[in-house]
């Protein structure tokens, strides 16, 4: 993330915390007050992106998404381990077929 984006993110968070509507003008004003030079496009992009969004809900949803590993581990816990074993068999068969060709990567 570059300085322009960070300045707009912090400005939007400040505005949300003070319960002030997030607009491009207010983001720009906060950045100028902080003496951060930003490109003109960033405040407009952030204001349009956050228009009509519940910033509080977005912030609370950050930590609520399940980890990808937990989703992948869930089917294995249900006793459905056969597909994993089949994948291991296919990998070992591919390795064996490479040996049958008479050369390998390390010869």
């Amino acid at each position: 993330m570059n300085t322009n984006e960070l300045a707009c993110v912090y400005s939007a968070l400040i505005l949300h915390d003070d319960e002030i509507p997030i607009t491009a003008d207010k983001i720009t004003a906060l950045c100028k007050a902080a003496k951060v030079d930003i490109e003109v496009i960033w405040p407009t992009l952030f204001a349009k992106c956050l228009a009509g969004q519940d910033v509080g809900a977005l912030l609370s949803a950050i930590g609520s998404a399940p980890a990808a590993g937990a989703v992948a581990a869930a089917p294995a816990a249900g006793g459905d381990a056969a597909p994993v074993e089949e994948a291991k068999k296919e990998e070992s068969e591919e390795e064996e077929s490479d040996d049958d060709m008479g050369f390998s990567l390390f010869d």
Side-chain angles (χ1 to χ4, degrees):
M1 206 177 257
N2 63 30
T3 307
N4 291 318
E5 294 172 1
L6 283 174
C8 290
V9 167
Y10 292 142
S11 297
L13 289 173
I14 290 169
L15 292 169
H16 169 72
D17 191 48
D18 289 340
E19 298 178 2
I20 300 172
I22 300 170
T23 64
D25 294 335
K26 291 179 182 174
I27 291 173
T28 303
L30 277 172
C31 291
K32 283 183 182 179
K35 298 180 184 174
V36 177
D37 293 325
I38 57 172
E39 295 177 31
V40 179
I41 189 73
W42 290 108
T44 306
L45 286 174
F46 274 84
K48 285 184 179 180
C49 181
L50 295 173
Q53 298 290 326
D54 182 9
V55 177
L58 291 173
L59 291 172
S60 20
I62 290 173
S64 65
V71 173
D80 190 19
V84 175
E85 291 176 10
E86 289 177 11
K88 287 181 182 179
K89 284 182 183 179
E90 289 176 11
E91 288 177 12
S92 63
E93 288 175 7
E94 288 177 13
E95 291 174 7
E96 291 172 6
S97 66
D98 289 343
D99 293 336
D100 293 340
M101 290 183 194
F103 66 91
S104 70
L105 182 64
F106 301 106
D107 284 341

